[in-house]
């Protein structure tokens, strides 16, 4: 039936049955790649650089280190040896009366030490255990398989032993050795762990310690720079497993010199070349390049060499011998071949290996250095900017591995030093030399390093302070921010602006906004959302692959051939492999292999046209980020890929494996043309950003109060701030959802009036509504920890806790004490109240007669602990935790809780840094109200806006208002308008209008005291 | 004119009393003379009685109270009680259990505001003020739980109670309501949510001993209250027991093995001390909107105007010959979004948004202790008391 006279609302289908609306709709071009982000974070996570580095260390690196010095030989008896066959990390445990017992991170956090009794008894179900172990940290044993010789020199037997503990390794939380690894939310909750906690830190002596990501100049790379006098220098910081050295070649007075620590004065470079067997000046000139400009620059150096009368290798070595620093102890080997020779072989450009006294690679390396210097003289453009990020490497690589390496060596020294002594004394009888392995050296060394943050490695002459920091637990996001912090190599006090400036190459790698104010400005940085820090990768296969792909070996090239036009040098991890005649083809094929997954995804291939080099890198510590590959500007990621991702068929790694996405490091980015949005891509575009806002980090509200973790009430922090009613922001961003800020919020949504009121709001002060405060706005909980130790003294006496005397004069202050002499949880404690009725013996020095337990009362003096807090503040005893500390003394921890409402002078801030103190608190009836009866929670002065230009805040004000009126969370992601991850101001305004507000967000309000419209 | 001023002074003094008969008749006589203009010219009348809401700010928001403000024009501006009596009107638009909306016409904003302020801050209610925590093993902290309990509206008529200060801080049946809350989540049971319905009224007063119980004392242990009789024996409460007004307010959540046991004492107080004693969720008014079309708005413009307004203030009427004209159909629903006057000067010249200065649309949202209409009369009583106090102080 058709109803007559009624028209269809709009003609949907035309006569020919064509859906005109469908045809007229714009073609959906851009693929929404947002979904890749949570997938990426699922695979990599925000603190993945820490975890990857640690996992790499415990899985690979530690084995390498042990293999490097696996054989320990007693110095007097070469037949007696000990060999480490294998090493692995066990499960996190603690030794209880000689037997290992498994531990969880939460128990380590709670106890500075041992037995745990929670007086209140409801938040912790901990058994009363008395551990007798010294240090309480989240650590696992380092187990080795050893083989050694036992018995007297006459009859020696080879013994093999498995799983010998040589020390204890602190375990990074959520790493592959951690008990939390691979656990789901319910299992984590059972272990007392917050599922949102990122891990990536250590628990040492009950405190959480983060190893900061260190930033340092790239190693094994030639860096051209000018020194203080304006001379051009080429420097290489070499670093190998054996040695670390810095080689500088400098052009001074038109001559080229070498600066090396082992030579107190600079030496002419040509002498060094000659000492390395490069006797012919012609060959040197050929190696540098035949261009007459190079030769003329080199000429003064050659003349200098000739002037010194050095013509042959022997003469050169003799000359250098006179210049070399005399070392204190001369070993046999260096005596034989001459110290200068060994310096040239081992220290000078240590990253270039010398095989069978073949110095040719080193000569070529020096020639390349000189050539780059001359390029820099002839053409200033080729100068490297030291501050440029591409020559920097974020060293997330665990310093601990270096440290352990050193420690392993000390343990060897311990071993070889300790063994001979009993050998002499006991005649190497049945003594089982395995007993002599010192466990404490490694254990204590690691613990001390991590808890103090001082890394001293004498062998590398490295002294670093403040490498570890206590993890900030002010807010959840503050913790996240701390984990991604990159600490600088420069001293912060230096008044330089160069390294503080934002480098273009930091785009997408480091957050451009997140840096502290003051001395660390621009030096302390934070990783961006999608940054990944690489770990080392096997070099051997990659090198041979390069040769297969047509790299001509250095050995086969004459000096002349080195710099033939159209051929590029191939440099792999700072090592010159050879040259290639078709560089672009080589680079393309390497990249193809990488995209096909044949070589590691983090290998970077970078063609530098200016320097005529191809740089390959597979070393650890480079920062890189994933990008979508585009062929001639067309994205490889298609709609159906994303659908597969949302359906769960495809993972992030599949994208990598199928060659849709690849990681680019800072160098390789120079070869790419990256479009910000898919729509911007042109035919030259090689890559497309996954999401533009990932160039930022997560920098919001580091000091904001809120929740710190799901287990926040079971923790034992010295100072903890919690919000009673934390809320999710009405205007959120995608980043907030990605990092879990919406699950552990910090802050509250407030109804804000931006207007002038009462004069108590000048200079950014804010006026607050008393009724809002009455109803719980801004209410927070402050928890403070106080620890009391029951001391044991040398003369066997010890402190004691007494039952309170209810009849005494000060009974009033002892009211809150239980019969056991400790404050009862839940009691209100006031200033001067006693929370522990402790007594100490008067005599703690001299020995006492009789049993210490039977001391008369007169031998004790009271040492009660009084609660000190501001008058008028009432605190509550939240928890009492009994445990024993590392000296096996009882330690009683009191947690005091104070719930406070905002007061005059408290600081409040929006998310845009618009901070202000509370200037006055006003009754609700005096507050302005709108036509719909809305009364603000606080009033901000409008004068804070024009000069600060916080446009984001204006948008948040609109978005929040729209969000609360339409009941939907609004988004304000950075750069999100184009890809639909942020609401446009226009649409927000439309929503406001739809709900009867002004499009600008401005309301007419009535004065509270007067009752008229303002 | 000087006589006028004298008049107004005496008027002001005697606002609350009835005006003097003879004075009034003299004035009436003067007013009736032909040469005296009794009305203001329309442009001044507009500024006096209306707030003009322009695109960025309201204009002429203040009320002109000075009796001689228009003396030069020969217009008397004094407030006169009989005039007020004649013009003052109250019209109830909506009345439900919890809220009321009424029009209050012919009153100065200062007075209307006084009612609003008294409603928020000075009408008393009962609210929980002291908590005696016997046991709390839940995750919620004692203070936070107490704070939450305090904010629960109690369904008890505060007029039946006294302020605790009056009884010298002795807690008796006339000034204290005692509630008990005892909830426990058994082990191996799912988590439970404690709601306000768990608060049980103790008409006999506190059950918790205030001192340590002496084992061999036969007398009843001393508690925190001293009730002389049970509250439910009183006629006011015998039929309707006291309980929280809303029974679904979440107080806490308990996990297995956790328990809360406490006693809550509610006393009388006012919203100025703490918002929990405020009898209203909020009370506010708005001035009556007046939307005027300054020019004829026809055809497409009329259509545009109608579509502009998100709340449908405007309507379209047919004026024949296929022509349409915009009319103001529902001015009351105007929310001052100013969409109609956005879009340039021409729109500002077409539409005028105004507020009537002496017409208030008053809304009271009660928390439930008292019905909203009673709240307002209570507020009027309090204002009356205050006025009487001023008069007695002055005389």
């Amino acid at each position: 039936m058709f109803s007559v006279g009624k028209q269809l609302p709009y003609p949907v289908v035309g006569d020919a049955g064509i859906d005109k609306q469908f045809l007229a709709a714009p073609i959906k071009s851009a693929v929404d790649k947002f979904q890749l982000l949570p997938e990426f974070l699922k695979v990599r996570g925000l603190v993945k650089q820490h975890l990857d580095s640690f996992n790499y260390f415990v899985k690979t690196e530690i084995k390498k280190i042990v293999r490097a010095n696996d054989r320990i030989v007693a110095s007097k008896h070469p037949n007696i040896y000990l060999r480490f066959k294998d090493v692995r990390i066990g499960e996190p445990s603690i030794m209880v009366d000689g037997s290992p017992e498994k531990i969880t991170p939460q128990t380590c956090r709670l106890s500075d030490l041992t037995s745990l009794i929670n007086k209140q008894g409801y938040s912790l179900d901990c058994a009363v255990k008395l551990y007798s172990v010294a240090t309480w940290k989240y650590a696992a044993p380092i187990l080795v398989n050893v083989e050694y010789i036992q018995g007297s020199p006459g009859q020696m037997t080879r013994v093999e032993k498995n799983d010998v503990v040589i020390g204890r390794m602190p375990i990074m939380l959520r790493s592959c050795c951690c008990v939390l690894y691979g656990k789901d939310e319910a299992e984590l909750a059972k272990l007392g762990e917050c599922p949102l906690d990122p891990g990536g830190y250590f628990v040492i002596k009950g405190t959480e310690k983060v190893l900061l990501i260190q930033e340092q100049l790239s190693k094994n790379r030639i860096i051209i720079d000018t020194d203080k006098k304006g001379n051009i220098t080429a420097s290489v910081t070499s670093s190998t497993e054996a040695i670390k050295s810095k080689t500088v070649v400098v052009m001074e007075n038109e001559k080229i010199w070498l600066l090396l620590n082992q030579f107190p004065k600079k030496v002419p470079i040509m002498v060094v070349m000659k000492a390395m067997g490069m006797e012919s000046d012609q060959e040197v000139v050929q190696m540098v390049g035949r261009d007459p400009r190079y030769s003329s620059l080199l000429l003064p150096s050659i003349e200098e060499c000739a002037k010194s009368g050095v013509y042959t290798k022997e003469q050169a070595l003799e000359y250098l011998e006179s210049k070399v620093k005399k070392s204190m102890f001369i070993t046999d080997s260096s005596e034989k071949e001459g110290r200068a020779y060994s310096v040239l072989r081992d220290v000078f450009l240590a990253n270039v290996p010398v095989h069978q006294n073949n110095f040719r690679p080193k000569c070529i390396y020096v020639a390349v250095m000189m050539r780059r210097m001359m390029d820099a003289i002839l053409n200033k453009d080729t100068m490297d900017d030291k501050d440029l990020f591409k020559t920097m490497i974020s060293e997330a690589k665990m310093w601990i591995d270096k440290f352990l390496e050193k420690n392993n060596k000390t343990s060897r020294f311990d071993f070889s030093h300790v063994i001979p002594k009993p050998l002499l004394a006991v005649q190497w009888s049945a003594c089982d030399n395995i007993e002599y392995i010192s466990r404490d050296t490694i254990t204590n060394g690691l613990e001390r390093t991590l808890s103090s943050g001082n890394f001293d490695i004498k062998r590398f002459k490295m002294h670093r302070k403040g490498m570890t920091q206590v993890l900030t637990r002010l807010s959840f996001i503050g913790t996240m921010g701390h984990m991604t912090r990159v600490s600088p190599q420069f001293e912060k006090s230096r008044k330089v602006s160069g390294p503080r400036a934002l480098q273009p190459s930091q785009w997408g790698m480091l957050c451009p906004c997140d840096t502290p104010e003051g001395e660390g400005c621009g030096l302390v940085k934070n990783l961006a959302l999608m940054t990944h820090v690489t770990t080392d990768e096997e070099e051997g296969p990659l090198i041979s692959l390069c040769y297969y792909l047509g790299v001509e070996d250095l050995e086969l090239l004459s000096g002349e051939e080195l710099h033939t036009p159209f051929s590029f040098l191939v440099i792999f991890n700072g090592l010159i492999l050879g040259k290639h005649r078709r560089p672009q083809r080589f680079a393309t094929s390497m990249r193809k292999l990488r995209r096909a997954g044949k070589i590691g995804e983090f290998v970077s291939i970078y063609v530098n046209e200016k320097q005529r080099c191809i740089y390959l890198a597979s070393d650890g510590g480079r920062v890189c980020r994933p990008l979508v590959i585009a062929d001639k500007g067309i994205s490889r990621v298609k709609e159906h890929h994303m659908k597969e991702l949302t359906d769960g068929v495809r993972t992030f790694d599949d994208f990598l494996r199928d060659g849709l996405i690849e990681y680019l490091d800072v160098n390789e980015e120079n070869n790419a043309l990256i479009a910000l949005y898919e729509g911007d891509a042109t035919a030259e575009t090689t890559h497309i950003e996954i999401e533009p806002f990932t160039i930022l980090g997560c920098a919001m509200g580091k000091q904001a109060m809120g929740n710190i973790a799901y287990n926040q009430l079971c923790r034992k922090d010295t100072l903890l701030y919690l919000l009673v009613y934390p809320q999710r922001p009405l205007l959120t961003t995608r980043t907030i959802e990605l990092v879990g800020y919406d699950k552990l919020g910090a802050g509250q949504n407030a109804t804000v009036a931006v207007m002038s009121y009462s004069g108590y709001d000048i200079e950014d002060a804010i006026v607050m509504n008393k009724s809002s405060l009455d109803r719980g706005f801004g209410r927070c909980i402050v928890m403070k920890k106080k620890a009391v130790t029951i001391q044991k003294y040398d003369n066997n006496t010890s402190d004691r806790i007494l039952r309170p005397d209810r009849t005494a004069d000060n009974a009033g202050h002892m009211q809150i004490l239980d019969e056991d002499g400790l404050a009862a949880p839940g009691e209100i404690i006031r200033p001067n109240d006693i929370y522990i009725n402790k007594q100490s013996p008067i005599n703690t020095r001299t020995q006492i007669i009789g049993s210490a337990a039977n001391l008369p009362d007169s031998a004790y003096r009271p040492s009660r602990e009084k609660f000190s807090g501001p008058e008028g503040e009432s605190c509550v005893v939240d928890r009492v935790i009994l445990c024993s500390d590392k000296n096996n003394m009882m330690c009683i921890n009191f947690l005091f809780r104070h719930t406070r409402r905002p007061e005059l002078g408290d600081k409040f801030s929006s998310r845009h840094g618009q901070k202000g103190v509370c200037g006055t608190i006003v009754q609700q009836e005096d507050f302005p109200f709108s036509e719909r009866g809305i009364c603000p929670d606080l009033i901000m002065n409008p004068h804070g806006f024009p000069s600060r230009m916080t446009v984001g805040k204006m948008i948040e004000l609109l978005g929040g208002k729209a969000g609360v009126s339409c009941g939907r969370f609004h988004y304000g992601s950075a750069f999100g308008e184009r890809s639909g991850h942020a609401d446009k101001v226009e649409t927000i305004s439309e929503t406001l209008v739809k709900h009867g507000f002004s499009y600008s967000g401005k309301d007419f309000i009535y004065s509270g005291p007067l009752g008229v419209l303002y | 004119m000087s006589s006028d001023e004298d008049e107004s002074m005496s008027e002001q003094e005697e606002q609350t009393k009835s005006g003097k008969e003879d004075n009034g008749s003299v004035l009436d006589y003067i007013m009736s003379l032909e040469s005296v203009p009794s009305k203001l010219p329309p442009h001044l009348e507009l500024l006096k009685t209306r707030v003009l809401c322009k695109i960025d700010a309201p204009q002429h928001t203040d009320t002109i109270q000075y009796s001689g403000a228009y003396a030069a024009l020969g217009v008397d501006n004094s407030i006169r009680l009989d005039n007020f009596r004649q013009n003052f009107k109250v019209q109830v638009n909506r009345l439900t259990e919890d809220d009321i909306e009424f029009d209050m016409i012919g009153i100065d904003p200062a007075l209307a505001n006084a009612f609003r302020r008294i409603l928020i801050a000075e009408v008393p209610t009962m609210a929980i003020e002291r908590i005696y925590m016997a046991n709390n093993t839940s995750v919620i902290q004692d203070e936070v739980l107490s704070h939450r309990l305090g904010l629960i509206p109690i369904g008890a008529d505060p007029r039946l109670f006294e302020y605790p200060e009056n009884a010298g801080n002795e807690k008796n049946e006339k000034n204290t309501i005692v509630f008990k809350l005892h909830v426990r989540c058994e082990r191996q049971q799912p988590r439970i949510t404690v709601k306000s319905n768990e608060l049980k009224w103790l008409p006999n007063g506190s059950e918790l001993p205030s001192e340590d119980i002496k084992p061999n004392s036969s007398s009843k242990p001393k508690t925190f209250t001293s009730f002389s009789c049970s509250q439910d024996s009183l006629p006011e409460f015998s039929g309707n027991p006291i309980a929280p007004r809303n029974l679904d307010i979440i107080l806490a959540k308990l996990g297995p093995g956790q328990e809360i046991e406490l006693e809550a004492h509610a006393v009388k107080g006012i919203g100025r001390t703490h918002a929990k004693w405020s009898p209203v969720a909020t009370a506010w008014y708005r001035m009556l909107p007046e939307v005027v079309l300054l020019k004829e708005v026809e055809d497409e413009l009329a259509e545009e105007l109608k579509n502009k307004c998100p709340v449908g203030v405007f309507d379209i009427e047919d004026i024949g010959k296929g022509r349409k004209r915009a009319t103001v159909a529902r001015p009351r629903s105007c929310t001052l979004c100013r969409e109609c006057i956005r879009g340039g000067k021409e729109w500002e010249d077409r539409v005028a948004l105004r507020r009537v200065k002496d017409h208030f649309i008053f809304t009271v949202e009660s928390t439930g202790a008292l019905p909203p209409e009673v709240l307002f009369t209570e507020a009027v009583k309090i204002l009356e008391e205050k006025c009487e106090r001023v008069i007695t102080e002055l005389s």
Side-chain angles (χ1 to χ4, degrees), chain A residues 774 897 899 926 996 1008 1011 1014, chain B residues 58 113 117 143 147 275 285 287 335:
Chain A
D774 286 346
R897 158 164 49 93
T899 306
D926 288 336
Y1014 267 119
Chain B
N113 193 34
R117 292 169 61 88
E143 316 87 272
H147 173 238
Y285 57 75
M287 293 171 181
T335 57

Side-chain angles (χ1 to χ4, degrees), chain B residues 48 75 85 89 135 219 237 248 254 271 301 334 360 392:
Chain B
K48 183 179 174 249
V75 176
R85 268 194 193 142
K89 256 193 288 184
N135 191 11
S219 64
F237 306 119
D248 55 351
L254 294 185
L301 280 178
C334 176
F360 299 96
T392 46

Side-chain angles (χ1 to χ4, degrees), chain B residues 297-314:
Chain B
V297 181
E298 291 177 354
D299 298 335
E300 283 90 52
L301 280 178
E303 199 69 46
E304 194 186 336
L305 182 63
K306 187 184 174 234
N307 293 336
K308 264 186 161 193
C309 184
V311 286
V313 168
F314 302 100

Side-chain angles (χ1 to χ4, degrees), chain A residues 120 122 125 713 722 724-725 770-776 779 781 783 826 876 878 897-899 901 923-927 929-935 993-1000 1002-1004 1006-1014, chain B residues 51 53-58 61-63 109-110 113 116-117 120-121 136-139 141-144 147-148 151 258 271-276 278 280-282 284-287 289 308 310-311 334-339 342 355 360:
Chain A
Q120 201 164 356
Y122 59 77
D125 290 324
L713 296 178
L722 301 173
V724 174
Y725 298 111
K770 180 172 168 286
S771 295
S772 297
L773 305 186
D774 286 346
R775 291 176 179 127
R779 205 162 279 239
I781 292 176
M783 300 256 236
V876 179
D878 191 62
R897 158 164 49 93
H898 177 213
T899 306
R901 50 183 285 166
Q923 295 280 348
Q924 190 192 331
E925 64 266 25
D926 288 336
F927 248 57
F929 59 99
S930 84
E931 290 239 310
R932 334 174 149 214
I934 300 169
C935 193
V993 168
K994 211 171 87 197
H995 290 88
F997 290 105
S998 166
Y999 78 104
S1000 60
K1002 290 182 195 164
D1003 265 345
F1004 277 20
Y1006 292 82
S1007 158
L1010 302 177
V1012 293
L1013 268 172
Y1014 267 119
Chain B
V51 177
C53 301
K54 299 291 181 185
I55 187 83
D56 45 6
T61 53
D62 47 348
T63 49
N113 193 34
R116 182 189 71 88
R117 292 169 61 88
I120 291 174
N136 174 17
T137 54
S138 73
V139 286
Q141 293 86 358
D142 295 355
E143 316 87 272
V144 178
H147 173 238
R148 292 182 75 86
L151 290 171
Q258 297 180 350
R272 185 179 296 149
T273 347
H274 194 283
K276 67 184 172 186
S278 184
V280 290
T282 187
W284 83 98
Y285 57 75
R286 61 193 183 108
M287 293 171 181
K308 264 186 161 193
V311 286
C334 176
T335 57
L336 269 188
C337 68
R338 299 168 330 272
E339 271 301 293
R342 198 177 142 202
R355 287 291 183 268
F360 299 96

Side-chain angles (χ1 to χ4, degrees), chain A residues 662-803:
Chain A
E662 66 180 341
Y663 286 96
L664 290 194
D665 78 347
V666 185
N667 279 317
E668 201 176 340
E669 269 191 328
N670 288 333
N671 283 164
L673 183 66
I674 305 162
L676 199 57
Y677 297 96
E678 210 169 319
D680 296 346
T682 59
E684 288 89 54
T685 307
T686 58
H687 293 85
I688 296 165
E689 297 270 356
I690 293 177
E691 263 307 325
F693 70 75
T694 55
I695 66 153
L696 300 170
C698 55
M700 52 248 164
K702 280 183 183 146
Q703 297 174 66
M705 252 192 277
N707 290 320
I708 61 156
Y710 285 172
N711 59 359
Q712 57 187 9
L713 296 178
C714 304
R715 296 170 54 93
K716 202 185 72 173
D717 302 75
T718 24
L719 190 60
L720 181 62
Y721 290 101
L722 301 173
L723 211 54
V724 174
Y725 298 111
Q727 290 174 345
R728 264 177 80 180
L730 283 168
L731 190 95
T732 85
T733 66
R734 293 287 177 191
T735 315
I736 280 178
E737 289 176 354
L738 285 173
V739 298
Y741 190 53
D742 53 337
K743 297 193 185 81
L744 276 170
Q748 286 178 321
N749 294 299
T751 311
V752 179
V754 180
M755 60 181 282
S756 185
Y757 189 91
S758 81
Y760 284 96
D761 60 349
I762 52 166
E763 290 287 339
D764 284 346
I766 53 170
V767 178
M768 300 199 83
N769 183 338
K770 180 172 168 286
S771 295
S772 297
L773 305 186
D774 286 346
R775 291 176 179 127
F777 179 74
R779 205 162 279 239
C780 76
I781 292 176
V782 187
M783 300 256 236
K784 282 181 191 145
K785 189 183 82 177
K786 290 259 161 62
V788 181
T789 321
I790 302 302
Q791 286 277 347
K792 280 180 190 153
Y793 301 97
D794 295 338
N795 60 352
N796 279 334
T797 57
S798 69
D799 293 345
R800 61 176 189 175
I801 311 171
L802 278 193
R803 170 192 297 234

Side-chain angles (χ1 to χ4, degrees), chain B residues 124-126 157-168 170 172-177 231 237 266-269 277:
Chain B
T125 51
M126 303 297 286
D157 190 342
R159 289 170 293 187
L160 306 173
F161 291 91
E162 289 171 357
Y163 286 105
E165 302 90 74
N166 297 352
E170 190 208 41
N172 53 32
E173 72 282 358
K174 289 195 193 72
N175 61 20
T176 309
I177 307 172
Q231 276 171 336
F237 306 119
V267 295
K268 192 174 173 180
W277 278 300

